[in-house]
Amino acid sequence: MTKLHQPQTAQHSSNSINASQDFKHDSPNPPKPLSIAERVGKPAYVDADIVIPVYNEREQLTDSVLALMRFLSSPRHSRFPSQSQPSYFPLYSWNIVIADNASTDDTWPIAVSLARQYPKFVRAIRIPAKGRGRALKLAWGESHAKVRAYMDVDLSTDIRLTDVLINSILNGGAEVASGCRLLDESHVTRSAKREFISRSYNVLLRATLGVTFEDAQCGFKAISAEAAKFLLPKIQDNEWFFDTELLTLAQTCNLPTYIFPVRWVEDAGTTVDIPDTVRKDLEGIKRMRRTLATSLI
C-alpha cells in the first residue's frame, strides 16, 4: 500500500477504488452527520482545496492563512524532494478553506473577513460542533477540487512541502498522501514527551491493526476526489482518530498511497488534550479491529 520516497505508479483513476467497494464497516445505523451552518464563498472547480480546521484560533488564523496564500501565489516549481533527478510540475489552482468548528472566540468573524477580502482564494465554513474529522468530512465532502488536502493552522509542517502533498495525487498517481515525521529523512523539532507518545502510538497501530504506514496523525494529508467519495462515507470517527481511520482504510482497500518525510516544528501553544485523545484513540483502535475482522475485503 505504502511506498516511501516516491509515488506509486498506479494510474490516477477510479479503477483501484472500484476494485474494493465491497468493504463494509460495523455501524449499521450511523448517526446523521451535522451539516455546515454558515459559509462564505462556494466550492470552486480547482485543482486543490486546502482545508484548515480551526477551533478558537483567533491569534494565529490570519497570519497562517496569509502565509499560505503568499506561498501558493509565489512563482516556483514543485518536485518530489527525494528524486535524484527532480521532475518539475506545473503549478495548480487552489482554494484555502477555513473550517471553523464551533469556536467561541473571534475565529469565525476573522474567517469571514478573510473570505470576503480574498474571495478568489479563500472561503469559510462554520460547523456547529467540534472535531477535526467532522470538519474534514464536511469540507472535503462538498468540495469540487481534484485534490482535497488539509493542514494544521499552526503550520507546523513546512508549507513548502504543500506542492509535494498536492502533486503526489494530481500528477503522481497516488489516491492518498500523508506527511510522516518518523522517517529518517524527516527533520522534527518537538518535546521528548510528544516524540515518545507518537512513536508508541504508531507501534501500537502496527501491532493491533497490522498497518504498514508510520505517523498516522501528522496533520498534513490529502486525498483525491475519487478517494473522498469512496472513503469518507466509511470513516466513522469525527475527531482525532479520523486520520488513523483514513490511512487504515486506504491500506485495507489497497489505494495507492504516498508517504513522504517532512520538516516539522512543534507548536508550543497546542491545545490538544493528550489524555482524552489517547483514550479516544484506544476506543477507535478497538472499533477498527472489529471492523477489519468482520468486513469483506
Side-chain angles (χ1 to χ4, degrees), residues 139-205:
W140 285 356
E142 75 162 9
S143 173
H144 296 320
K146 298 175 183 176
V147 179
R148 292 99 190 261
Y150 96 88
M151 62 182 63
D152 293 332
V153 67
D154 57 20
L155 303 184
S156 292
T157 303
D158 189 339
I159 58 174
R160 290 176 293 181
L161 294 170
T162 305
D163 291 341
V164 179
L165 182 69
I166 302 302
N167 278 317
S168 61
I169 296 176
L170 198 60
N171 300 295
E175 299 286 353
V176 178
S178 179
C180 180
R181 297 163 294 184
L182 301 183
L183 297 176
D184 291 340
E185 297 86 349
S186 298
H187 298 278
V188 175
T189 302
R190 64 175 165 182
S191 67
K193 177 182 178 181
R194 291 289 297 274
E195 181 76 9
F196 174 77
I197 291 173
S198 181
R199 290 188 178 275
S200 298
Y201 178 66
N202 284 280
V203 169
L204 179 62
L205 289 180

Side-chain angles (χ1 to χ4, degrees), residues 50 52-54 57-72 96 98 110 114 122 151-157 159 162 267:
I50 302 170
I52 301 179
V54 289
E57 298 289 358
R58 66 180 182 182
E59 299 297 332
Q60 57 184 341
L61 178 57
T62 297
D63 288 344
S64 294
V65 169
L66 294 181
L68 183 58
M69 283 181 58
R70 284 193 297 269
F71 169 74
L72 293 170
I96 297 172
I98 304 170
I110 293 170
L114 288 166
V122 180
M151 62 182 63
D152 293 332
V153 67
D154 57 20
L155 303 184
S156 292
T157 303
I159 58 174
T162 305
D267 177 15

